[in-house]
Amino acid sequence: MFVPAWDPTWGPQKRIYHLATPAFTNKNIPFWHRPTVLCENFKPVFITKKSLVQCAGSFFSGKYLGSAIVKTNPKSPEDQLLFVVDDEFTMEPTYFHPSSFIKHPNKYFSMSKNNGRLRIPFRDPHVMPNGKIAVVTGGRRWGTFGNICEVNIQGSVLSITRETILDNSMLRFGEIERPTFIDDLMFFSVMDGKPSILIAELSRSGLYSYVGEVRNSTGCYGPSINEDFQLLYWNKPSFTIGLSSRPGSNIVKKNGEWTLLRDALSTPDDFNLNVFKLFIDNRSK
């Protein structure tokens, strides 16, 4: 049985996690507004409360740092938030909702209001080499350019430490998604044009500058890299998780260019759709 899967991320002990949902029966609902489950190799492990639809996240220091859409009209720019939960998913998440404290339009976050309240994109968090957290924000749907800000979380307090980590060469995309970091490199995707994986590099200014596109990555989206230079991604439009079956790194640099070695992770033979749907139905309000 085929199950649509996307936004993979590396978890503890190099386990592979990803988002998934039952088959797309209603084509009028975009996939990012469907009941979405975080899975470990198609086994459901976590779902947000019913008032939210979860987006991508990542693991760090014994925690899972996730993001979610506040349910709203899909035609309106979404309001989004972050949450933190232990990486065993045994405790209640702590939520951080930026539109509750960012009240005025800001080109790095959002220019869009609905019923007098700012709608702020705030998703795809990932820890950077400096220990702070990169969060995707901005975007054409919110009346501005795609952006990545820097935040710090201490207990139940989130603070924005930099409005952007990008230089002008990066502030030109309609929407940036899924930044992932290793050394001085950032891999990411954008909503503009064909799906692929792009690269930026940390410059002397302390901001990330655009480098180019990873070769052989057309159709790939939403990367996640680990310390062994193993790059996860998902394939558009097939909704399959991509990784290499070869041992070691699946992204190599030759003649100054990065190249991706491609493969796919299939749905396990013992996958139980009824268990999957029950997991969704039993979530909290």
Side-chain angles (χ1 to χ4, degrees), residues 7-281:
D7 283 349
T9 189
W10 289 106
Q13 289 79 54
K14 295 186 180 178
R15 297 195 297 264
I16 296 172
Y17 292 76
H18 57 85
L19 301 181
T21 191
F24 299 155
T25 54
N26 187 343
K27 302 297 183 182
N28 295 322
I29 302 176
F31 75 89
W32 62 89
H33 280 264
R34 299 170 185 272
T36 302
V37 179
L38 178 67
C39 299
E40 181 195 344
N41 194 18
F42 294 93
K43 177 186 176 182
V45 295
F46 178 78
I47 189 168
T48 54
K49 54 189 179 181
K50 290 183 178 180
S51 60
L52 304 172
V53 179
Q54 61 186 328
C55 306
S58 59
F59 291 85
F60 78 106
S61 301
K63 297 180 176 63
Y64 178 73
L65 181 59
S67 58
I69 296 169
V70 180
K71 282 189 175 178
T72 183
N73 183 347
K75 294 182 180 179
S76 301
E78 294 94 345
D79 197 28
Q80 299 173 344
L81 52 75
L82 298 189
F83 63 87
V84 177
V85 65
D86 64 289
D87 64 9
E88 296 293 332
F89 306 102
T90 59
M91 303 176 69
E92 285 297 312
T94 301
Y95 293 95
F96 305 94
H97 199 167
S99 63
S100 66
F101 59 85
I102 299 176
K103 301 298 184 181
H104 302 289
N106 182 312
K107 66 181 181 179
Y108 292 110
F109 296 98
S110 174
M111 304 297 288
S112 177
K113 283 189 174 184
N114 190 291
N115 295 326
R117 179 168 176 161
L118 213 57
R119 292 278 181 90
I120 300 177
F122 215 70
R123 66 183 184 280
D124 302 355
H126 198 289
V127 174
M128 298 188 293
N130 67 2
K132 300 291 178 60
I133 299 165
V135 180
V136 167
T137 188
R140 188 174 293 123
R141 287 183 289 161
W142 292 268
T144 186
F145 45 76
N147 181 43
I148 304 173
C149 70
E150 178 189 270
V151 308
N152 189 38
I153 296 176
Q154 294 291 335
S156 60
V157 178
L158 179 146
S159 57
I160 296 172
T161 50
R162 284 194 291 176
E163 290 185 327
T164 187
I165 62 169
L166 310 178
D167 72 9
N168 289 334
S169 70
M170 288 285 293
L171 296 175
R172 59 189 179 90
F173 297 112
E175 203 164 322
I176 297 174
E177 297 204 286
R178 297 297 312 279
T180 183
F181 301 85
I182 186 167
D183 299 333
D184 289 339
L185 300 176
M186 177 177 75
F187 296 86
F188 64 101
S189 292
V190 298
M191 288 284 284
D192 313 52
K194 66 180 181 180
S196 63
I197 296 172
L198 307 177
I199 313 173
E201 188 170 9
L202 190 64
S203 66
R204 292 181 178 178
S205 69
L207 301 174
Y208 283 88
S209 298
Y210 182 69
V211 173
E213 180 178 320
V214 176
R215 292 185 60 194
N216 197 37
S217 71
T218 299
C220 304
Y221 205 78
S224 175
I225 198 164
N226 67 16
E227 65 274 12
D228 295 325
F229 267 86
Q230 295 172 317
L231 194 76
L232 294 173
Y233 55 92
W234 64 282
N235 296 294
K236 282 190 172 184
S238 65
F239 284 88
T240 56
I241 303 302
L243 76 164
S244 175
S245 59
R246 307 169 183 84
S249 174
N250 63 335
I251 183 166
V252 295
K253 190 174 185 180
K254 293 182 179 180
N255 301 320
E257 290 187 302
W258 291 96
T259 300
L260 179 65
L261 309 176
R262 298 171 66 165
D263 213 329
L265 179 70
S266 59
T267 307
D269 293 335
D270 61 353
F271 176 80
N272 189 319
L273 183 60
N274 291 329
V275 171
F276 196 92
K277 289 182 176 179
L278 187 63
F279 194 86
I280 293 173
D281 292 341

